[in-house]
Amino acid sequence: MRHLHKALRENHHLRHGGRMQYGLFLKGIGLTLEQALQFWRSEFVKGKVDADKFDKAYAYSVRHMFGKEGKRTDYTPYSCMKVILSNPPSQGDYHGCPFRHSDPELLKQKLQNYKVSPSGINQILELVKGMHYQLACQKYFELTHNVEDAGFSLNHPNQYFTESQKLLEGGREIKKEVDMSQRSQENPANMTRPSQANSKQAHEEMGDLDSFFQDE
């Protein structure tokens, strides 16, 4: 999710696979449909997509993942196994599992950029070599949260987020998405075009997520 978030911030766009994987993750941490539309629109319009094009070409897929279009399936966030085993990323894609789908040398560079120690990187790469991708991610969790034993078996990106929040204990909490849910029920957002205040709100949430992924 950190990889997807960074790509979205840099490119102001994600392909369908990335939008589904990251969008459902955000849904899982509390974004409502209205907030999700604001979130994606606010980032896409910084790139080559204007608001009208977003509403015509991309808003449908956001509503679809919330069960408001098509077969009305209320999609749930992808588990680790679903991310690992299905829809591998191709050139220009950013979805997937970094431990499963990254070239080992590129993964090593990424971990170095994330300030993982050399010994920690070696432990992770050994697990990846043995195709223990979830254990590699769990080791990454332990190293970046300074714990010897995570105390759980990692099997879902949203589980990672929840367990991380527990350890942070209020130091840098990502709760505005949930708070927004309550506010949107009191004052429903415009589903077609967000107000200036709502756009600012979505931008602030992006900042919260920036902080979470950067400081982890």
Side-chain angles (χ1 to χ4, degrees), residues 66-113:
F66 279 82
K68 302 302 181 183
E69 300 285 358
K71 296 180 180 179
R72 308 282 173 170
T73 301
D74 190 16
Y75 292 93
T76 56
Y78 295 164
S79 68
C80 290
M81 288 305 294
K82 181 174 178 63
V83 172
I84 290 169
L85 296 176
S86 63
N87 190 25
S90 57
Q91 186 72 26
D93 286 328
Y94 295 93
H95 65 273
C97 169
F99 302 100
R100 168 63 181 88
H101 298 115
S102 294
D103 175 84
E105 189 57 36
L106 292 177
L107 176 60
K108 180 178 179 180
Q109 292 176 17
K110 190 184 298 293
L111 293 171
Q112 289 172 339
N113 291 336

Side-chain angles (χ1 to χ4, degrees), residues 154-165:
L154 183 63
N155 55 43
H156 203 292
N158 287 81
Q159 177 195 15
Y160 185 113
F161 180 87
T162 300
E163 295 294 340
S164 178
Q165 290 298 98

Side-chain angles (χ1 to χ4, degrees), residues 6-43:
K6 184 174 184 289
L8 178 62
R9 292 292 277 164
E10 291 180 349
N11 304 320
H12 311 300
H13 188 273
L14 287 175
R15 291 181 177 178
H16 178 73
R19 295 197 305 274
M20 284 296 290
Q21 184 174 317
Y22 192 42
L24 288 173
F25 167 79
L26 294 175
K27 176 185 176 184
I29 67 172
L31 261 69
T32 65
L33 171 58
E34 292 85 357
Q35 294 153 19
L37 286 166
Q38 295 163 23
F39 180 94
W40 290 103
R41 184 188 285 107
S42 68
E43 192 61 33

Side-chain angles (χ1 to χ4, degrees), residues 26-36 38-39 161 165 170-185 197-212:
L26 294 175
K27 176 185 176 184
I29 67 172
L31 261 69
T32 65
L33 171 58
E34 292 85 357
Q35 294 153 19
Q38 295 163 23
F39 180 94
F161 180 87
Q165 290 298 98
R172 184 188 63 256
E173 297 182 359
I174 317 294
K175 287 188 174 180
K176 286 191 176 181
E177 289 85 354
V178 179
D179 294 340
M180 277 186 69
S181 174
Q182 297 171 348
R183 290 199 296 271
S184 67
Q185 291 172 12
N198 285 335
S199 295
K200 181 179 179 182
Q201 224 167 41
H203 178 73
E204 289 174 351
E205 261 104 55
M206 288 293 282
D208 288 334
L209 289 164
D210 283 336
S211 178
F212 177 76

